[in-house]
Amino acid sequence: MGRYVIRRLLQFVPTVLGAMFVLHYLTSVAIQFTGNPVRAIFGDRTPPQSVLENLTRRLGLGDPCLEQPFNPCFSLFGKRLDAIFLHLDFGTDFNERAVTDIVAGALPHTARLTLIAILFELVVGIIVGVLAGLRNGGFWDYLVKVSTVLLIAVPVLVLGLLVRDFVNVKFGNVLRGVDGMPELISRGFFAPTWSSNHPWASLLMPGLVLGALSLATVARLTRASLLENVRADYVRTARAKGLASNRVVGVHTLRNSLIPVVTFLGTDLGALMGGAVVTEGIFSVPGIGRQVFAAIFTGETTVVIGIVTMLVLVYLIASLAVDMLYAVLDPRIRYD
Amino acid sequence: MRARFPVKLAAAAAATALLATASACASDGGGGEEPEGTTGGTLRVFLSEPDSLMPSGANDSESNQVITEIYRGLTKNVIEGGVENIIAESIESEDNITWNIQLKEGFTFTNGEPVDADSFIRAWNYAAYGPNAQDGAGFFERIVGFGEMQADPPEAEELSGVTKVDDYSFTVELSAPFVGFPQTVAYQSFLPLAEACLADVDACNEMPISNGPYMLASAWEHDVQVALVKNPDYIGEDTVFADEIIMRIFESSDAAYAAFQGDELDVIDQIPAERLAEAEAQFADGLFQTANNSLTYLGIPFYDERFEDVRIRQAFSLAIDRQAIIDAALGGTQRAASGWVSPLFEGQRDAACTTCEYDPERAAALLEEAGGWEGELTLTANAGADHETWMQALGDQLNQNLGIEYTLDVGQQFAEYLATLENQDAVGPFRLGWGPDYALMETYLTHLYATDQSSNYGFYSNPQFDDLVAQGDSAPTEQEAIALYQQAEDILNEDMVTIPLWWGTQSVLYNPDVVAELNFNPIDYEDYGLTTMAAGG
């Protein structure tokens, strides 16, 4: 087990370096073709040449290779690696705010949002999946199948806007008009957008929206996998030797049925963290997705490289964790 | 419950109503009219993430909205246009070159340091010093010694044109006469800084040591909010109203609009275009609209000989039905331009441009006189800013009225686009915009049209224009200067130097239960400190 983990960790190194180079190259080519992004800070007003040059240098974009199309800028990449790995300096955005500060400020929000989404999809998804799987062809099964299809069919953008404008704004306004309604409910759970006065409560709705799509997938995976396993020999044996139904389903069948769900959750964790851009935008959550999105628009290469590299790491760690969980869930799997 | 310069979104006729209201305000506003409303309470307003809270570190309007409340400088922009002295007792000059600045005593920074001559001099030296790479450094261009500060490597660490006389007075020497110096120093780059602030700039950016009527209640919470409270030690005479101003930071105006609807915001000054109609219907009591100062224009590449004949340029301008484009492609809120200076500025004249009205017959006749147009025309704009639709409408009008075939080039990102213009590579008329820096009409003239100026993207050059602007700059009074600037604008009209298209609109939604009267000046736009509160709000 230990050796396996070490081998996997070593594999992280080329993956991360490779990802960083791809990011470095793409952002450099973008600058080579679309011009110095620092110029855009000044808008229609042309600054004195010296002001522009000083700022460009200060922001680390003064390397002449950034003016030569397709030049891979190896020396700039070397400098970046040197700063990041030897000095833990991820650079700054155009406002000279350190990328590490930006991540430290944004990550807690995204982590909370992701946590709420994962808990929601895990708990609700598995419960309704089990309900549907056990009552195959019954009312619950159809209800779950139809409602999950609906969730999958509605894009998160539409769902998010609907929830915000109708639930949080319109219904929330009704609640806010009721005397004696606790603020936690009227301005927390039903806050129109994320509110710093209720940093957890006002993440509930965004979290539910973010988790909704994956919830549908989790429910359907659980249901399908459970249906397959209830007919398996070992389940029949368990029932035959007189185990209580709860134990048969809860311990034996469900545990084996969760392997595809865990695989999905592992990749989903990365997708939720990086893919929360839309949800964070709709509900104005000051998270990672919003930072990357803004940085891409303004051409803040250091921010893009820093945050995306971090997301790559999250993906890698999540997939490692999933592989480890297999061994826990399925006794036949061993890592030696 | 009214806002100054109120313009209801009624009709195109609002354009003329605006001017009438604005001038009415200008006359009674100066007469010491007591603002309606009360003080106290909390005002929650919309903000996007500011670039910086160091005055010289930012050029964006978001930073300016915060800095305007927490700092006070020599002068300040006011509703009526122009500036009033705040910390300056007087700013005087005999020759418009050497300016003597006398300061009022008693102002302090939030850490107790005095606001004195040194506080201005150190701030200006910091801003203009090349290696500090301040966004706002360019505003010191007119002061003697700027070049040495910006050289690489720098040849000086202090502006040689700024000299301390005593603790509360100093002199500034400009490299050329400029009558608008008192207006210029209202810009945020010219604000004073405490010694402790420059000792740790990063800390001062997060928790500014400021000298204005408000101060930060706690450090800047990035992407979340900037919370302001009244500064108890502020001694200025300009009264501010709300006890607290919470500037909540949103990524998009769309989310902010939802927050406004859900009573989490009291004022929002960016209404998403697609929600404007809804906002008009739902919040008619709290909608404030006015033409603003952002000019959209079509630049002419003077290095392209096809545009050499002024009649060609006039024909183009006459063939464009600005109002039709505004109504059809821009949501109807902009105001068609009929000159080169904003309608909110003193010295602006409604008919400064004699070939800006829509007259297709005259356009066609002028084009014919000039020998017609051969070949294809390319209209360019930068990508990613929704310029495609109206550029196409404009092209269609040229095609319909002048029979010119056109193509659109809207593929370049902004930085690349500007580089193309700077390298004289534009192949046809190009879209650009402009906003004012200070409250003098000259802010619309020199930078854009004087020979070899940085934002003169058409590379227009007319010694007569340069001369008139220079004469204006040296005029003994502002009124005389404005008369000369107007003559300079007439030259622009004769030469049809660019094709002015329209002025933008500022739409602000506010909750009338909280806000009594919004304060809006032509340079900083909303000033939330001077905004009065509704009783019980």
Side-chain angles (χ1 to χ4, degrees):
Chain A
M1 187 78 165
R3 285 185 54 178
Y4 173 78
V5 173
I6 290 171
R7 205 168 67 227
R8 285 288 297 266
L9 287 175
L10 284 177
Q11 285 170 0
F12 280 13
V13 177
T15 316
V16 169
L17 284 180
M20 287 177 79
F21 183 73
V22 171
L23 287 166
H24 159 81
Y25 188 54
L26 289 178
T27 49
S28 300
V29 168
I31 293 179
Q32 285 155 1
F33 278 88
T34 60
N36 182 359
V38 178
R39 173 62 189 84
I41 294 175
F42 297 91
D44 294 316
R45 180 174 304 116
T46 314
Q49 194 58 27
S50 58
V51 173
L52 181 61
E53 282 168 10
N54 278 322
L55 193 59
T56 307
R57 257 199 307 275
R58 175 105 159 205
L59 297 175
L61 297 175
D63 198 311
C65 75
L66 291 173
E67 285 162 18
Q68 301 150 5
F70 293 118
N71 185 331
C73 289
F74 285 119
S75 70
L76 182 61
F77 186 56
K79 273 185 219 156
R80 282 183 169 153
L81 290 185
D82 177 67
I84 291 178
F85 291 109
L86 299 182
H87 303 101
L88 291 178
D89 174 10
F90 282 80
T92 68
D93 69 358
F94 282 175
N95 305 329
E96 303 201 33
R97 191 173 168 220
V99 173
T100 41
D101 284 352
I102 295 178
V103 171
L107 194 59
H109 301 298
T110 303
R112 285 175 196 164
L113 186 63
T114 310
L115 182 71
I116 292 174
I118 291 254
L119 279 180
F120 174 56
E121 65 183 66
L122 203 67
V123 174
V124 181
I126 290 178
I127 290 176
V128 299
V130 169
L131 276 179
L134 293 180
R135 291 167 176 72
N136 186 20
F139 169 75
W140 277 106
D141 192 24
Y142 280 106
L143 182 71
V144 169
K145 278 200 284 192
V146 170
S147 54
T148 51
V149 163
L150 271 179
L151 282 182
I152 293 173
V154 179
V156 66
L157 177 71
V158 177
L159 183 67
L161 285 174
L162 283 176
V163 168
R164 188 191 72 190
D165 286 355
F166 286 94
V167 180
N168 292 19
V169 171
K170 295 232 160 71
F171 180 63
N173 276 349
V174 174
L175 293 181
R176 284 183 279 276
V178 175
D179 282 338
M181 180 67 64
E183 286 238 325
L184 181 68
I185 293 175
S186 64
R187 292 184 184 275
F189 294 130
F190 289 95
T193 53
W194 180 80
S195 154
S196 56
N197 299 332
H198 302 281
W200 276 97
S202 59
L203 276 179
L204 181 74
M205 286 296 175
L208 299 191
V209 167
L210 181 63
L213 178 63
S214 308
L215 172 122
T217 315
V218 168
R220 295 193 139 235
L221 276 176
T222 312
R223 173 185 169 276
S225 173
L226 197 73
L227 273 180
E228 199 180 301
N229 282 324
V230 245
R231 295 198 194 86
D233 291 346
Y234 69 91
V235 176
R236 200 177 48 199
T237 311
R239 284 192 198 284
K241 74 177 182 184
L243 284 185
S245 174
N246 278 349
R247 197 167 163 80
V248 174
V249 175
V251 177
H252 296 279
T253 326
L254 189 58
R255 183 168 151 182
N256 279 297
S257 309
L258 283 183
I259 289 187
V261 176
V262 167
T263 313
F264 171 74
L265 281 181
T267 52
D268 197 40
L269 178 71
L272 287 178
M273 291 202 64
V277 179
V278 176
T279 317
E280 286 181 2
I282 293 173
F283 291 96
S284 197
V285 180
I288 292 284
R290 162 165 154 180
Q291 298 292 352
V292 185
F293 191 67
I296 290 172
F297 262 87
T298 48
E300 290 167 296
T301 52
T302 45
V303 183
V304 176
I305 294 176
I307 295 184
V308 177
T309 306
M310 190 201 71
L311 290 177
V312 168
L313 269 176
V314 170
Y315 257 108
L316 288 172
I317 293 170
S319 68
L320 178 60
V322 166
D323 288 348
M324 319 287 326
L325 266 181
Y326 287 158
V328 177
L329 289 173
D330 188 339
R332 287 167 303 183
I333 297 175
R334 290 270 182 281
Y335 296 115
D336 286 318
Chain B
M1 280 191 222
R2 73 187 173 93
R4 292 202 178 174
F5 301 156
V7 177
K8 294 293 173 199
L9 268 169
T16 40
L18 166 80
L19 264 191
T21 329
S23 52
C25 266
S27 56
D28 68 25
E33 178 203 12
E34 276 301 303
E36 295 172 26
T38 57
T39 58
T42 302
L43 189 61
R44 300 164 302 169
V45 304
F46 163 79
L47 191 72
S48 299
E49 173 77 355
D51 278 357
S52 168
L53 297 186
M54 281 296 284
S56 57
N59 277 327
D60 59 317
S61 57
E62 304 300 335
S63 308
N64 185 44
Q65 277 193 329
V66 184
I67 290 170
T68 297
E69 304 307 336
I70 63 175
Y71 281 98
R72 281 291 187 265
L74 296 171
T75 59
K76 185 178 185 312
N77 298 305
V78 292
I79 290 191
E80 300 81 18
V83 294
E84 63 181 9
N85 287 346
I86 301 285
I87 295 181
E89 181 73 54
S90 64
I91 304 180
E92 284 161 355
S93 176
E94 303 269 304
D95 53 6
N96 291 356
I97 290 188
T98 307
W99 289 85
N100 300 308
I101 298 165
Q102 183 70 42
L103 303 179
K104 290 175 194 159
E105 295 182 25
F107 285 91
T108 53
F109 288 98
T110 45
N111 68 347
E113 279 183 49
V115 179
D116 53 11
D118 284 322
S119 66
F120 284 94
I121 295 172
R122 78 170 74 92
W124 296 8
N125 285 335
Y126 175 79
Y129 187 53
N132 292 334
Q134 294 294 291
D135 290 16
F139 289 89
F140 295 88
E141 239 177 337
R142 292 179 192 272
I143 297 179
V144 168
F146 177 75
E148 288 81 5
M149 301 277 282
Q150 286 281 318
D152 181 31
E155 291 155 14
E157 288 189 6
E158 289 175 356
L159 285 163
S160 54
V162 182
T163 321
K164 180 178 169 181
V165 177
D166 59 46
D167 277 356
Y168 288 94
S169 63
F170 62 106
T171 63
V172 178
E173 195 187 338
L174 306 182
S175 40
F178 184 45
V179 68
F181 183 72
Q183 283 85 353
T184 321
V185 292
Y187 193 80
Q188 60 188 31
S189 289
F190 293 91
L191 292 166
L193 289 176
E195 209 169 353
C197 177
L198 286 183
D200 189 347
V201 170
D202 288 340
C204 189
N205 184 39
E206 301 301 315
M207 183 71 195
I209 300 169
S210 57
N211 70 333
Y214 288 93
M215 56 188 192
L216 264 70
S218 55
W220 175 8
E221 291 175 65
H222 286 274
D223 299 306
V224 177
Q225 66 177 24
V226 180
L228 308 181
V229 289
K230 266 188 185 169
N231 173 3
D233 298 327
Y234 181 70
I235 60 156
E237 285 159 10
D238 43 340
T239 323
V240 290
F241 297 91
D243 285 339
E244 270 186 306
I245 303 177
I246 309 290
M247 298 182 158
R248 290 190 51 191
I249 301 173
F250 287 82
E251 180 199 16
S252 68
S253 55
D254 178 63
Y257 183 72
F260 180 82
Q261 286 179 304
D263 188 34
E264 287 286 318
L265 281 179
D266 301 318
V267 185
I268 166 173
D269 65 348
Q270 272 181 38
I271 306 168
E274 66 276 12
R275 301 284 200 139
L276 196 57
E278 179 193 324
E280 258 176 75
Q282 209 180 338
F283 303 109
D285 291 346
L287 182 65
F288 164 72
Q289 273 213 327
T290 177
N292 70 16
N293 298 308
S294 70
L295 172 66
T296 301
Y297 67 93
L298 218 47
I300 305 282
F302 275 80
Y303 44 85
D304 182 339
E305 58 193 22
R306 294 177 301 169
F307 293 99
E308 214 169 290
D309 193 323
V310 65
R311 288 170 297 187
I312 300 271
R313 308 195 287 269
Q314 289 170 336
F316 273 51
S317 179
L318 287 164
I320 298 169
D321 185 352
R322 293 166 174 77
Q323 197 58 49
I325 299 179
I326 291 170
D327 291 339
L330 295 167
T333 57
Q334 283 79 353
R335 178 175 175 203
S338 59
W340 288 265
V341 175
S342 161
L344 299 183
F345 271 61
E346 196 180 350
Q348 180 267 359
R349 292 156 302 158
D350 246 355
C353 174
T354 50
T355 46
C356 283
E357 78 278 7
Y358 178 54
D359 189 344
E361 282 98 42
R362 201 173 143 209
L366 276 170
L367 186 71
E368 209 181 307
E369 268 177 48
W373 180 267
E374 275 176 36
E376 204 171 57
L377 174 75
T378 306
L379 298 170
T380 54
N382 53 306
D386 292 333
H387 296 311
E388 293 84 351
T389 324
W390 69 258
M391 279 297 261
Q392 190 172 3
L394 193 150
D396 287 345
Q397 290 179 347
L398 292 178
N399 177 269
Q400 192 190 332
N401 297 326
L402 301 175
I404 296 173
E405 293 294 323
Y406 76 97
T407 53
L408 284 187
D409 175 4
V410 286
Q412 298 186 50
Q413 293 298 321
F414 197 50
E416 184 187 12
Y417 178 68
L418 291 170
T420 307
L421 299 182
E422 277 159 21
N423 297 332
Q424 306 203 353
D425 286 335
V427 287
F430 46 86
R431 177 222 77 96
L432 274 180
W434 186 255
D437 300 320
Y438 40 84
L440 183 67
M441 68 183 280
E442 185 270 348
T443 190
Y444 283 102
L445 302 175
T446 312
H447 291 286
L448 290 166
Y449 316 111
T451 307
D452 291 335
Q453 278 289 320
S454 54
S455 296
N456 182 350
Y457 289 105
F459 293 88
Y460 167 75
S461 173
N462 184 338
Q464 214 184 338
F465 172 83
D466 296 349
D467 188 48
L468 279 166
V469 172
Q471 282 183 35
D473 290 347
S474 334
T477 66
E478 208 186 308
Q479 290 313 317
E480 288 164 73
I482 285 174
L484 287 156
Y485 292 145
Q486 287 176 335
Q487 290 178 35
E489 196 186 6
D490 291 339
I491 305 274
L492 299 183
N493 181 43
E494 277 169 36
D495 285 345
M496 203 56 204
V497 58
T498 57
I499 301 175
L501 294 173
W502 42 76
W503 301 97
T505 316
Q506 191 74 0
S507 304
V508 187
L509 267 181
Y510 61 92
N511 181 348
D513 294 337
V514 178
V515 172
E517 191 182 346
L518 211 60
N519 185 291
F520 184 94
N521 78 58
I523 304 293
D524 307 311
Y525 295 172
E526 301 82 39
D527 186 328
Y528 294 121
L530 300 180
T531 289
T532 59
M533 307 290 283

